[in-house]
C-alpha cells in the first residue's frame, strides 16, 4: 500500500511542486491550505506523514504541530517542516516541538524525496 | 446715522468676504498640490517597496542599532504588555529603554518583579541635563537582556525621553508612546530610509487608529473600523494628515511634525540640539523643527522623511470631551512651537521650511480655524443686519463642503489603492460616507476646540507669569 | 487638517447708494460653478477609477490563476521527469542535451493555445518559473535555468535593462539574476553605473548570483559608492561565501572610494579571518576617519597580536571617536601591554572614552580587573563610578567588604 502524505502549504507553487514530486515517487498525496484544514482532514482520515509549511494564514505550521502532539490519535504521525526561515533558533524550536525533519527553502526536490523516505523508513523500524 | 452704520459694516464685511474667498482659493490650491506630491511620493514608495526584502534587514549585522524609548507614568496596568511587545519587535539589534518617570503607583515594582530586574552600577552620563536618575536596572534573565529600566524623579514626558536618550547606547533612537502598539515590522520599515540615504536624520511613521480593531496579545490581529462615530471621523482626519499631508511634506523635505507616538531619530543629532524641550506641550514637533533649524543653520545636508507604511496603532479618544482636550493640547503645542521658531517665517535662509512649511503651519494650520470662525461670525452678523444674500451664502458653503469632501475622499482612495488596511468593503463604504458627513458639525467642532486653544494658551502664559511673580515676592 | 475658510456671506446687490455689485456677483457665480464642477469631476473620476481598478484586478487575478495552474502542470512534467544522466555535476552539457526533448514537449503544450492566449500563457510561464527559482535548488534549478534560455526570456529581460523607467530596469536586473544566465553579465555591469540606487543594487546582486565569488572584486572596484542599503544587501551574499570572500574583499580595500573601503574592512572583521590583518593595518593610516573606525572595529574582532602596536598608537589619537574605537579593539585583544594605556585613559580621558576604556579593561583578564579595582579605590568620582560599573558587570561584588590587599585578586 502506498504511503499517505498530507501536504499543508498555502503557496500553490510549492504545493503543486511537492505534490507532483511525491506522486511521482509513488505516494498518495492529500492537500490542505493551512493548519485548520489539516486538522479537520486528520479528524476523519489517517496519514503516514505530514509535510507542513511554517508561515501560513489562519493557522501556521508550529501551531499545527503543537495541536497534533496534543491529540493522542495524531501524536504518532511524523511531521516534516518546510521553511524559508533559516534561523537556528527556529529550527531548534521546531525539533523541540517534535518535528521529525526540517527542510529549508530553497530546497532540492530530489533531496526532499530522499528525506521523506528516510523519515518514513525510520518510523517503520 | 443708521445708513452710515450699515454702510460702514458693509464695506468691512465685503473686504472680509474677498479675503475669505481668496484664502479659500489659496488653501485649496495648496491642498491640491500637496495631494499631487503625496500621490507621486506614495507611488515611488510602493515601487521601491517591491525591491525591498525586509528579511535581509532583519538578518544583517550592518543594520544600525536602535534604542527604543518608552516613557511611562503611572502605567502599572499596561506596562508589562507594552514592554513585552516592544521586546518582540523584529529588528536585529535593539534595546528597550523603559523610563519610569517617578510614577506614583507601583509601575516600577511591577516591572522589577515581572522581568526579574536587578540594580546595576551603570554610570548615568547626563549629556542632556535632566532630573536626577534614581537607578538603572537590567534583567537577570538572558531573554530580557535587551531591556534597560531607568527609574527617575518625575519631570514630564520630555524629561523622561531625555533621560532615555542619555542612557541609550545605539545610534538611532525611537520614541514611542507607552499606549501605542507597533506592528512587528514597523521598526524595520521606518529604519529603511536611514539605509537608503545617510543624510536622513529623522523619520516619521504613520499612526493609525486602533479603536474597533481586534487586539490579541498586544498585536492588532484584525483591522476594523470602529462602530462609534468619533473615532471613525478621526480615521479620515488621520488619513488626510498623514497620507496626503505628511507624505507630501516628507517628499519636499519640509516635514515639521513627527508624531510623538512613533518616530526614529539619529541620536547624535538629537544630542547636539539638546534633546526634547520640557517646557512645551508640543515637544515632539518642537524637536523636529529644532533639528531642521540646526541642520540648515550649520549647512549640514539632511533629510527628514516620512514612511507611509510602518504602522503604529493608537487608541483614539472616543468621546468629544477627551478629543477636545487632545486637540486643544495639540493646537497649543503647535502655537508654542511656531512662536519659539517665529524667526523662520518667510526667512529665505530656511529654504523650503521658511518659505513653505512654516508659513503653511502658521496661516493654514494655526490661524485657519480663526479665519474660519470669523467667517461664521461674519455670516451671522451680516445675516442679522440683513446684508447677506442667503442663496449666495449657501452656494459658497456647498462649494467649500464639496472641496472638503474631495480631499477626504481622495485620501480614502489613496489609502485604498496603496495600503488597503481595512479588508471589509463595508468599512470602505462607511469611510466614504463619513468623508461627506464630517463636514456638517464635526469640522465645526474641531474649529471651536482649536480656537479655544488660543485662549487657553494666553491664559496659561498669564498664570505662569503670576506664579513667578509670587515666587519673586517671597 | 481643515480645509480652511468655511462659509461666509455675500451682500445684497440692490443698495444703489453705496456700490453696484452686479459684476462681482457674476464672477463669484462663475467661480462657484467652475470649482464645483471641477471638484465633482475629480471625486467622480477617483471613485470610478477605484471601482474599475478593483474589478479589473479580480478578473485579471482569476484568469492568471487558471493560466498558472495549467502552466505549472506542464512545467512539472519538464522539471521532474527522470532522465538517464541525472547528475549535472558530472557532465553538464550531456545533461542539458537530454533536456531538449522535454523542452520541446513543453513548447508544444504551450503552442496548442490560440495566438492571443499564447501570450498570456508565455507570461504565465515566465511568472511561474521566476517564482520557482526561489524555492528549488539542485538539479531542478539547472533545468529551470536552461528553460529560461530556451524560451528566450533571458534576451527579453536584457532588453528591459535599457528602459527609461527605473523600476522596470531594477526588475529586469532582478529577473536576470534569477535566470542565472551568464550572457546577461555585461549588461548588468552597465547597470552598476545606473542613476538609481535600486537598479545598482539589483544589478550587483544579480551579478553575484550569476557569477559567484569571482565577481566580488570586479564589482567592488567598479562601484562609485555604496548606500548602507546596498551594503546590507551585498553583505548577505558575500558572507555566504565565507573564507572564499576574504581575498576579493582584501582586493576591494584598494578602491578609491572610502565607502567601499569601509565596507570591505567591516566585512573582513565579520568574516573573522586573520589573513586580512596585514591589509587592514596597511591601509589604516592612509584613509579617512570613517574607514579607520571600521578598520579598528574589524581589528578588534579579529583579535590578532600583530595589530597591537597600531591599536596602541590609536589610543593616543586626537580624535575622541577613534580613541573609543581603539579602546574597544584593545578590550578584545586582552594584551597586557595595552592595559596600561587603557588604565591611563580611564583616569585622564573624557567620559565617553573612560566608559570605553573601563569596558575594555573589564575584558582584559586579571590585569584589567586589577586596574579597575585600583581605579575604584583611588580615582575621582567619575573614574570610580565607571570602574564600579564594569567591575559589577564583570561579576565582581563591588559592595562586598574586602580583606586587606584584595581577596579578589
Amino acid at each position: 500500500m502506498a504511503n499517505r502524505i498530507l501536504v499543508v502549504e498555502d503557496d500553490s507553487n510549492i504545493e503543486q511542486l511537492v505534490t507532483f514530486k511525491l506522486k511521482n515517487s509513488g505516494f498518495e498525496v492529500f492537500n490542505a491550505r493551512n493548519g485548520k484544514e489539516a486538522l479537520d482532514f486528520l479528524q476523519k482520515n489517517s496519514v503516514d506523514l505530514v509535510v507542513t509549511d511554517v508561515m501560513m494564514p489562519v493557522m501556521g505550521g508550529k501551531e499545527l504541530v503543537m495541536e497534533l502532539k496534543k491529540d493522542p490519535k495524531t501524536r504518532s504521525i511524523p511531521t516534516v517542516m518546510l521553511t524559508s526561515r533559516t534561523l537556528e533558533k527556529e529550527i531548534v524550536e521546531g525539533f523541540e516541538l517534535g518535528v521529525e525533519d526540517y527542510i529549508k527553502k530553497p530546497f532540492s526536490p530530489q533531496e526532499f524525496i530522499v528525506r521523506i523516505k528516510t523519515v518514513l523508513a525510520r518510523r517503520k523500524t | 446715522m443708521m445708513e452710515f452704520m450699515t454702510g460702514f459694516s458693509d464695506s468691512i464685511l465685503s473686504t472680509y468676504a474677498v479675503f475669505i474667498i481668496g484664502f479659500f482659493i489659496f488653501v485649496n490650491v495648496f491642498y491640491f498640490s500637496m495631494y499631487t506630491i503625496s500621490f507621486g511620493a506614495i507611488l515611488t514608495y510602493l515601487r521601491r517597496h517591491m525591491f525591498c526584502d525586509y528579511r535581509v534587514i532583519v538578518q544583517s549585522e550592518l543594520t544600525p542599532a536602535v534604542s527604543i524609548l518608552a516613557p511611562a507614568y503611572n502605567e502599572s496596568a499596561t506596562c508589562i504588555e507594552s514592554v513585552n511587545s516592544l521586546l518582540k519587535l523584529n529588528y536585529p539589534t535593539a534595546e528597550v529603554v523603559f523610563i519610569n518617570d517617578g510614577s506614583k503607583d507601583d509601575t516600577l515594582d511591577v516591572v522589577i518583579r515581572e522581568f526579574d530586574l536587578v540594580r546595576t552600577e551603570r554610570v548615568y552620563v547626563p549629556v542632556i541635563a535632566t532630573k536626577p536618575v534614581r537607578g538603572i536596572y537590567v534583567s537577570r534573565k538572558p531573554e530580557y537582556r535587551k531591556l534597560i529600566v531607568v527609574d527617575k524623579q518625575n519631570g514630564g514626558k520630555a524629561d523622561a525621553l531625555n533621560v532615555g536618550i542619555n542612557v541609550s547606547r545605539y545610534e538611532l533612537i525611537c520614541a514611542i508612546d507607552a499606549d501605542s502598539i507597533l506592528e512587528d515590522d514597523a521598526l524595520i520599515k521606518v529604519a529603511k530610509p536611514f539605509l537608503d540615504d545617510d543624510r536622513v536624520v529623522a523619520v516619521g511613521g504613520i499612526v493609525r487608529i486602533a479603536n474597533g480593531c481586534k487586539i490579541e496579545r498586544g498585536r492588532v490581529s484584525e483591522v476594523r473600523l470602529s462602530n462609534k462615530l468619533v473615532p471613525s471621523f478621526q480615521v479620515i482626519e488621520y488619513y488626510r494628515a498623514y497620507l496626503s499631508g505628511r507624505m507630501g511634506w516628507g517628499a519636499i523635505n519640509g516635514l515639521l511634525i513627527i508624531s510623538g507616538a512613533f518616530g526614529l531619530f539619529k541620536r547624535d543629532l538629537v544630542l547636539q540640539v539638546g534633546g526634547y524641550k520640557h517646557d512645551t506641550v508640543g515637544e515632539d514637533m518642537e524637536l523636529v523643527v529644532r533639528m531642521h533649524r540646526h541642520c540648515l543653520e550649520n549647512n549640514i545636508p539632511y533629510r527628514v522623511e516620512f514612511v507611509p507604511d510602518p504602522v503604529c496603532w493608537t487608541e483614539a479618544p472616543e468621546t468629544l470631551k477627551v478629543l477636545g482636550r487632545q486637540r486643544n493640547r495639540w493646537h497649543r503645542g503647535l502655537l508654542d512651537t511656531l512662536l519659539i521658531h517665529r524667526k523662520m517665517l518667510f526667512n529665505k535662509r530656511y529654504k523650503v521650511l521658511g518659505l513653505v512649511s512654516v508659513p503653511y503651519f502658521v496661516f493654514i494650520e494655526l490661524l485657519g480655524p480663526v479665519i474660519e470662525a470669523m467667517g461664521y461670525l461674519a455670516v451671522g452678523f451680516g445675516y442679522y443686519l440683513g446684508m447677506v444674500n442667503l442663496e449666495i451664502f449657501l452656494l459658497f458653503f456647498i462649494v467649500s463642503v464639496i472641496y472638503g469632501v474631495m480631499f477626504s475622499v481622495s485620501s480614502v482612495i489613496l489609502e485604498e489603492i496603496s495600503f488597503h488596511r481595512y479588508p471589509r468593503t463595508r468599512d470602505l463604504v462607511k469611510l466614504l460616507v463619513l468623508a461627506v458627513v464630517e463636514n456638517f458639525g464635526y469640522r465645526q467642532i474641531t474649529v471651536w476646540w482649536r480656537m479655544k486653544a488660543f485662549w487657553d494658551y494666553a491664559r496659561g502664559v498669564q498664570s505662569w507669569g503670576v506664579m513667578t511673580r509670587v515666587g519673586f515676592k517671597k | 487638517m481643515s480645509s480652511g475658510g468655511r462659509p461666509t456671506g455675500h451682500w445684497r446687490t440692490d443698495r444703489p447708494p453705496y456700490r453696484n455689485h452686479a459684476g462681482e456677483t457674476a464672477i463669484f457665480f462663475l467661480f462657484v460653478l467652475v470649482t464645483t464642477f471641477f471638484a465633482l469631476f475629480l471625486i467622480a473620476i477617483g471613485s470610478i477609477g477605484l471601482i474599475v481598478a478593483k474589478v479589473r484586478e479580480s478578473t485579471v487575478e482569476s484568469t492568471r490563476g487558471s493560466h498558472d495552474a495549467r502552466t505549472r502542470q506542464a512545467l512539472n512534467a519538464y522539471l521532474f521527469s527522470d532522465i538517464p544522466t541525472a547528475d549535472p555535476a558530472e557532465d553538464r552539457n550531456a545533461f542539458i542535451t537530454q533536456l531538449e526533448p522535454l523542452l520541446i514537449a513543453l513548447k508544444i503544450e504551450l503552442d496548442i493555445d490560440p495566438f492571443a492566449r499564447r501570450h498570456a500563457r508565455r507570461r504565465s510561464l515566465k511568472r511561474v518559473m521566476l517564482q520557482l527559482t526561489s524555492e528549488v535548488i539542485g538539479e531542478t534549478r539547472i533545468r529551470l535555468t536552461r528553460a529560461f534560455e530556451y524560451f528566450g526570456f533571458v534576451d527579453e529581460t536584457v532588453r528591459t535593462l535599457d528602459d527609461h523607467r527605473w523600476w522596470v530596469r531594477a526588475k529586469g536586473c532582478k529577473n536576470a539574476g534569477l535566470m542565472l544566465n551568464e550572457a546577461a553579465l555585461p549588461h548588468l555591469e552597465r547597470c552598476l553605473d545606473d542613476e538609481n540606487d535600486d537598479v545598482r543594487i539589483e544589478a550587483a546582486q544579480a551579478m553575484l548570483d550569476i557569477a559567484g565569488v569571482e565577481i566580488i572584486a570586479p564589482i567592488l572596484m567598479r562601484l562609485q559608492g555604496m548606500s548602507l542599503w546596498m551594503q546590507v544587501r551585498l553583505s548577505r551574499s558575500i558572507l555566504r561565501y565565507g573564507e572564499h570572500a576574504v581575498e576579493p574583499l582584501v582586493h576591494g580595500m584598494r578602491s578609491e572610494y572610502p565607502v567601499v573601503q569601509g565596507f570591505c574592512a567591516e566585512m573582513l572583521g565579520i568574516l573573522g579571518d586573520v589573513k586580512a590583518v596585514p591589509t587592514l593595518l596597511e591601509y589604516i593610516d592612509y584613509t579617512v576617519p570613517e574607514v579607520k573606525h571600521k578598520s579598528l572595529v574589524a581589528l578588534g574582532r579579529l583579535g590578532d597580536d600583530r595589530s597591537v602596536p597600531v591599536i596602541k598608537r590609536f589610543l593616543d589619537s586626537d580624535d575622541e571617536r577613534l580613541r573609543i574605537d581603539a579602546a574597544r579593539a584593545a578590550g578584545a585583544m586582552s594584551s597586557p601591554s595595552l592595559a596600561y594605556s587603557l588604565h591611563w585613559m580611564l583616569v585622564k580621558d573624557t567620559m565617553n572614552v573612560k566608559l570605553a576604556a573601563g569596558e575594555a579593561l573589564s575584558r582584559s583578564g586579571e590585569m584589567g580587573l586589577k586596574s579597575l579595582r585600583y581605579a575604584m579605590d583611588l580615582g575621582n568620582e567619575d573614574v570610580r563610578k565607571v570602574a564600579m560599573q564594569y567591575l559589577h558587570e564583570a561579576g565582581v561584588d563591588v559592595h562586598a567588604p574586602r580583606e586587606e590587599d584584595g581577596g579578589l585578586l
Side-chain angles (χ1 to χ4, degrees), chain B residues 132-152:
Chain B
V133 164
R134 294 194 286 231
I136 300 176
Y137 301 81
V138 293
S139 175
R140 265 191 288 236
K141 291 190 179 152
E143 66 260 42
Y144 299 129
R145 65 180 183 286
K146 288 201 256 171
L147 177 68
I148 296 164
V149 173
V150 187
D151 182 31
K152 69 178 275 286

Side-chain angles (χ1 to χ4, degrees), chain B residues 16-204:
Chain B
Y16 190 69
V18 170
F19 170 69
I20 285 277
I21 292 173
F23 183 75
F24 175 80
I25 295 173
F26 171 74
V27 165
N28 283 299
V29 165
F30 194 91
Y31 276 132
F32 189 75
S33 28
M34 218 55 211
Y35 183 84
T36 318
I37 295 173
S38 294
F39 189 80
I42 287 185
L43 215 60
T44 311
Y45 177 82
L46 289 174
R47 286 197 176 116
R48 296 210 68 170
H49 198 80
M50 290 195 307
F51 299 101
C52 180
D53 183 354
Y54 289 105
R55 279 171 307 179
V56 181
I57 305 183
V58 180
Q59 291 164 3
S60 178
E61 271 191 67
L62 305 183
T63 314
V66 174
S67 299
I68 304 164
L69 313 181
Y73 179 67
N74 294 346
E75 315 229 12
S76 65
T78 55
C79 58
I80 288 173
E81 195 173 337
S82 58
V83 169
N84 264 325
S85 79
L86 289 177
L87 286 170
K88 271 194 222 113
L89 285 177
N90 262 349
Y91 203 81
T93 327
E95 64 177 359
V96 175
V97 183
F98 179 87
I99 307 121
N100 174 38
D101 189 20
S103 297
K104 290 202 178 66
D105 65 354
D106 56 348
T107 303
L108 184 67
D109 296 331
V110 168
V111 175
I112 288 179
R113 234 177 303 130
E114 173 69 22
F115 298 103
D116 193 14
L117 301 177
V118 281
R119 210 190 156 93
T120 60
E121 298 293 333
R122 221 161 126 184
V123 187
Y124 175 70
V125 189
V127 186
I128 305 167
T130 60
K131 289 265 163 61
V133 164
R134 294 194 286 231
I136 300 176
Y137 301 81
V138 293
S139 175
R140 265 191 288 236
K141 291 190 179 152
E143 66 260 42
Y144 299 129
R145 65 180 183 286
K146 288 201 256 171
L147 177 68
I148 296 164
V149 173
V150 187
D151 182 31
K152 69 178 275 286
Q153 246 180 46
N154 181 270
K157 190 179 170 197
D159 193 60
L161 284 168
N162 284 340
V163 167
I165 295 166
N166 286 334
V167 169
S168 61
R169 289 170 298 184
Y170 294 145
E171 56 186 298
L172 298 179
I173 50 168
C174 175
I176 69 146
D177 268 352
D179 57 351
S180 51
I181 304 170
L182 291 190
E183 278 193 358
D184 283 353
D185 288 341
L187 207 50
I188 311 171
K189 287 178 179 165
V190 87
K192 174 80 180 351
F194 287 97
L195 297 176
D196 287 331
D197 189 337
D198 53 7
R199 293 170 304 175
V200 172
V201 295
V203 175

Side-chain angles (χ1 to χ4, degrees), chain A residues 27-74:
Chain A
F27 295 103
E28 196 178 334
V29 186
F30 305 92
N31 292 100
R33 309 293 282 181
N34 58 52
K36 268 247 151 49
E37 279 183 26
L39 284 178
D40 290 345
F41 179 81
L42 290 173
Q43 286 298 317
K44 294 171 211 125
N45 308 281
S46 74
V47 293
D48 298 301
L49 184 123
V50 175
V51 178
T52 175
D53 190 9
V54 178
M55 302 279 278
M56 280 179 297
V58 188
M59 188 190 226
K62 264 196 211 159
E63 288 86 353
L64 171 65
V65 174
M66 270 191 251
E67 290 295 320
L68 287 180
K69 296 291 158 191
K70 260 189 225 159
D71 189 349
K73 211 174 84 188
T74 53

Side-chain angles (χ1 to χ4, degrees), chain C residues 140-202:
Chain C
T140 318
R141 186 74 169 84
I142 297 174
R143 294 195 194 200
L144 265 180
T145 309
R146 172 66 191 131
F148 278 122
E149 192 182 5
Y150 182 84
F151 287 102
F153 289 132
V154 178
D155 294 335
E156 194 182 295
T157 307
V158 163
R159 276 198 297 277
T160 63
L161 298 183
D162 291 320
D163 199 276
H164 63 280
R165 292 160 297 183
W166 69 263
W167 57 96
V168 175
R169 294 199 299 274
K171 186 100 197 158
C173 291
K174 192 174 186 167
N175 288 346
L178 295 175
M179 292 177 190
L180 288 186
N181 197 306
E182 289 183 7
L185 276 178
H187 305 278
L188 287 169
E189 197 187 336
R190 231 172 348 107
C191 288
L192 286 181
D193 302 328
D194 200 276
E195 57 184 17
N196 182 288
D197 196 41
D198 283 310
V199 180
R200 292 196 298 265
I201 294 172
E202 295 300 336

Side-chain angles (χ1 to χ4, degrees), chain C residues 33-71:
Chain C
L33 264 162
V34 168
T35 50
T36 312
F37 275 117
F38 184 60
L40 280 174
F41 178 71
L42 283 178
I43 295 176
I45 291 276
S47 318
I48 292 170
L50 190 65
I51 292 160
V52 167
K54 284 218 116 168
V55 171
R56 224 189 116 215
E57 194 183 318
S58 62
T59 50
V60 165
E61 206 108 291
S62 71
T63 49
R64 239 186 218 181
S66 69
H67 277 313
D68 286 4
R70 281 180 59 199
T71 310

Side-chain angles (χ1 to χ4, degrees), chain B residues 3-4 6-7 9-11 13-14 16-18 20-21 23-25 27-28 31-32 44 47-48 50-57 59-64 119-125 127 192 194-197 237-238 240-241 327 330 360 364-365 368-369 371-372 375-376 378-379 382 385-389 392-393 395-407 409 413 416-417 420 428 432 439 443-444 446-447 450, chain C residues 1-13 15 17-19 21 24-25 28-29 31-50 53-54 165-174 196-199 201-202 205 226-236 239-240 259 263 266-267 270-271 294 301 321 328 351-352 355 359 382-393 396 398-399:
Chain B
E3 277 190 353
F4 170 75
T6 32
S9 45
D10 192 10
S11 71
L13 283 175
S14 59
Y16 190 69
V18 170
I20 285 277
I21 292 173
F23 183 75
F24 175 80
I25 295 173
V27 165
N28 283 299
Y31 276 132
F32 189 75
T44 311
R47 286 197 176 116
R48 296 210 68 170
M50 290 195 307
F51 299 101
C52 180
D53 183 354
Y54 289 105
R55 279 171 307 179
V56 181
I57 305 183
Q59 291 164 3
S60 178
E61 271 191 67
L62 305 183
T63 314
R119 210 190 156 93
T120 60
E121 298 293 333
R122 221 161 126 184
V123 187
Y124 175 70
V125 189
V127 186
K192 174 80 180 351
F194 287 97
L195 297 176
D196 287 331
D197 189 337
E237 272 188 303
Y238 274 51
R240 273 205 311 269
R327 289 301 150 86
W330 285 4
Y360 163 81
I364 298 181
E365 288 285 327
I371 295 167
E372 206 171 320
Y376 291 125
V379 170
L385 290 179
M387 286 180 302
V388 175
N389 184 331
I392 291 184
F393 155 66
L395 255 181
F396 189 76
F397 183 72
I398 289 167
V399 174
S400 67
V401 165
I402 285 176
Y403 265 82
V405 173
M406 183 182 75
F407 288 114
V409 170
I413 290 174
E416 186 54 27
I417 56 176
H420 185 67
L428 178 66
L432 289 172
N439 287 283
R443 279 200 168 182
Q444 287 74 11
T446 62
V447 168
R450 288 181 288 169
Chain C
M1 260 184 280
S2 118
S3 87
R6 266 289 146 295
T8 178
H10 202 271
W11 289 268
R12 267 196 205 143
T13 52
R15 286 184 177 274
Y18 308 112
R19 224 191 311 169
H21 291 279
E24 288 170 31
T25 315
F28 180 68
F29 265 110
F31 161 72
V32 168
L33 264 162
V34 168
T35 50
T36 312
F37 275 117
F38 184 60
L40 280 174
F41 178 71
L42 283 178
I43 295 176
I45 291 276
S47 318
I48 292 170
L50 190 65
K54 284 218 116 168
R165 292 160 297 183
W166 69 263
W167 57 96
V168 175
R169 294 199 299 274
K171 186 100 197 158
C173 291
K174 192 174 186 167
N196 182 288
D197 196 41
D198 283 310
V199 180
I201 294 172
E202 295 300 336
Q205 180 73 51
M226 289 174 102
S227 65
L228 195 47
W229 175 221
M230 185 182 230
Q231 299 181 27
V232 167
R233 285 283 303 270
L234 296 191
S235 70
R236 200 168 119 109
L239 291 177
R240 223 179 268 154
V259 197
F263 172 74
E266 202 166 359
M267 287 292 104
I270 294 173
L271 282 169
K294 290 196 165 158
R301 283 183 101 135
R321 186 153 168 230
R328 291 211 176 114
M351 196 61 193
N352 287 333
L355 285 166
E359 190 176 357
D382 281 350
V383 176
R384 254 195 47 217
K385 276 203 222 150
V386 173
M388 257 170 79
Q389 171 180 344
Y390 288 106
L391 278 172
H392 183 85
E393 274 172 26
V396 179
V398 283
H399 296 295

